[in-house]
Amino acid sequence: MTDASGTAATDTVNVWVIPINTPPLVDAGSAATAAQENVVNMSATASDNDGVIVTYQWEQLSGPSIALFNSNTLVASFTAPIVESSTEIVLRLTAIDDEGASTSDSVTLTIIPADIAVENNTETTVDNTAPSVSAGPDFSVDSEASIMLPGSASDSEGEIVSYSWTQVSGTPVDL
């Protein structure tokens, strides 16, 4: 700075630029379908471009109650509950970085009952009754004799596509 008589003076000021912490990037995974009573493994990703993630936490937002295992990791799991019809469970993953910034992402999982099959992303009800089977009456034969086993089977909903005999006890024989 210079005054009117031409005398100059200087001073210095320090300015510290504090970087802005960017929150973590979180992906809880894609929507998925799982059959009841199966173990569901969550596979999420998370990263922090300007630090490290210090906490992961999965939580359930909706749906029938489940017990989450390893809920403080990227790979949580649970056993799909028994449901009467297709039921959604929504889970949220939150990641917190080393400076306290957090980000969350949610994923919807559809739990299907045992009697529904998933074919080409559509639900098809499967009502299939097991065939009726009879191995025939017990009987005795002479050693080295060749016999024909008198078994039978029927299917009230269609046709029998294969037959298979299995020996369960006794001296081994060729079937």
Side-chain angles (χ1 to χ4, degrees), residues 95-116:
I96 302 172
D97 72 11
D98 55 340
E99 293 193 36
S102 67
T103 304
S104 298
D105 188 37
S106 299
V107 61
T108 301
L109 305 159
T110 302
I111 309 303
I112 58 172
D115 63 344
I116 294 181

Side-chain angles (χ1 to χ4, degrees), residues 10-174:
T10 61
D11 194 12
T12 304
V13 63
N14 293 317
V15 176
W16 288 272
V17 177
I18 299 172
I20 296 174
N21 181 34
T22 58
L25 302 171
V26 177
D27 182 358
S30 301
T33 300
Q36 69 182 18
E37 297 184 292
N38 283 335
V39 173
V40 178
N41 293 306
M42 306 305 301
S43 184
T45 59
S47 62
D48 188 31
N49 292 332
D50 61 356
V52 295
I53 296 174
V54 295
T55 303
Y56 300 103
Q57 188 59 55
W58 285 96
E59 64 182 314
Q60 183 178 358
L61 300 179
S62 67
S65 182
I66 58 171
L68 279 168
F69 298 97
N70 299 315
S71 62
N72 61 346
T73 70
L74 286 174
V75 188
S77 64
F78 66 93
T79 300
I82 296 173
V83 294
E84 291 183 20
S85 61
S86 292
T87 303
E88 289 185 348
I89 292 178
V90 179
L91 299 176
R92 176 172 55 201
L93 173 63
T94 301
I96 302 172
D97 72 11
D98 55 340
E99 293 193 36
S102 67
T103 304
S104 298
D105 188 37
S106 299
V107 61
T108 301
L109 305 159
T110 302
I111 309 303
I112 58 172
D115 63 344
I116 294 181
V118 177
E119 295 177 8
N120 300 324
N121 295 326
T122 60
E123 295 177 355
T124 306
T125 301
V126 177
D127 291 322
N128 187 18
T129 306
S132 180
V133 178
S134 171
D138 293 341
F139 58 96
S140 297
V141 296
D142 293 330
S143 178
E144 302 290 323
S146 238
I147 61 160
M148 183 177 290
L149 297 172
S152 64
S154 64
D155 187 350
S156 63
E157 299 169 331
E159 64 183 91
I160 303 296
V161 296
S162 69
Y163 293 85
S164 175
W165 287 93
T166 303
Q167 182 177 350
V168 295
S169 66
T171 304
V173 297
D174 292 326

